[in-house]
Amino acid sequence: ISLGRRTIFLWVLAVVCWVNDRVFCSWWASIGFPYLHGAWHILIFLASYAAVVLFAYFEAKNKLCGPAPLLRFYPSNSFQLGIPFVELDNICKEKEVNGNDVSCKFRLKEM
């Protein structure tokens, strides 16, 4: 599942929880399940974080020259329900290698 679809799914699920909590609060409380507001907070946090990572990826892809940014997941890339993050491979190093200055592989695109 792509990160964009996951973000939309989490956002829709959060909105459904919030609407149910607002409209049917007394009914949920009468059956002993007053937890939808808490579920909304958790789901909207997850959706917001995924959206921020997604837009950071798009921003890095559009604004930086050089190798494309990579969308990775913690703790393992094979587990796509992990925590997403953007990796910029070969970031500039400020040290010298073999007496030569290392040039930055990332630079802003000319506008």
Side-chain angles (χ1 to χ4, degrees), residues 46-58:
L46 293 172
S48 298
Y49 177 77
V52 167
V53 170
L54 196 60
F55 281 98
Y57 172 81
F58 291 141

Side-chain angles (χ1 to χ4, degrees), residues 53 57 60 67-73 77 84-91 106:
V53 170
Y57 172 81
L70 301 172
L71 190 57
R72 301 278 190 198
F73 295 90
N77 274 334
F85 65 95
V86 176
E87 181 180 293
L88 300 175
D89 201 17
N90 299 323
I91 295 179
F106 289 105

Side-chain angles (χ1 to χ4, degrees), residues 1-110:
I1 185 167
S2 72
L3 186 58
R5 288 188 180 119
R6 181 169 107 179
T7 302
I8 292 169
F9 174 75
L10 287 171
W11 186 82
V12 167
L13 194 58
V15 168
V16 166
C17 283
W18 181 76
V19 168
N20 266 293
D21 180 52
R22 299 291 292 171
V23 175
F24 303 112
C25 182
S26 59
W27 183 78
W28 285 110
S30 72
I31 64 168
F33 193 78
Y35 306 112
L36 286 179
H37 188 78
W40 174 80
H41 278 281
I42 292 167
L43 292 170
I44 204 68
F45 163 74
L46 293 172
S48 298
Y49 177 77
V52 167
V53 170
L54 196 60
F55 281 98
Y57 172 81
F58 291 141
E59 185 74 12
K61 188 170 175 131
N62 288 331
K63 298 269 176 143
L64 298 176
C65 293
L70 301 172
L71 190 57
R72 301 278 190 198
F73 295 90
Y74 177 83
S76 169
N77 274 334
S78 61
F79 182 64
Q80 293 209 353
L81 292 179
I83 301 169
F85 65 95
V86 176
E87 181 180 293
L88 300 175
D89 201 17
N90 299 323
I91 295 179
C92 306
K93 295 180 176 65
E94 300 188 85
K95 297 180 181 177
E96 292 184 356
V97 176
N98 297 330
N100 298 323
D101 287 328
V102 176
S103 63
C104 182
K105 294 187 178 185
F106 289 105
R107 59 183 167 77
L108 290 176
K109 289 183 180 177
E110 299 295 325

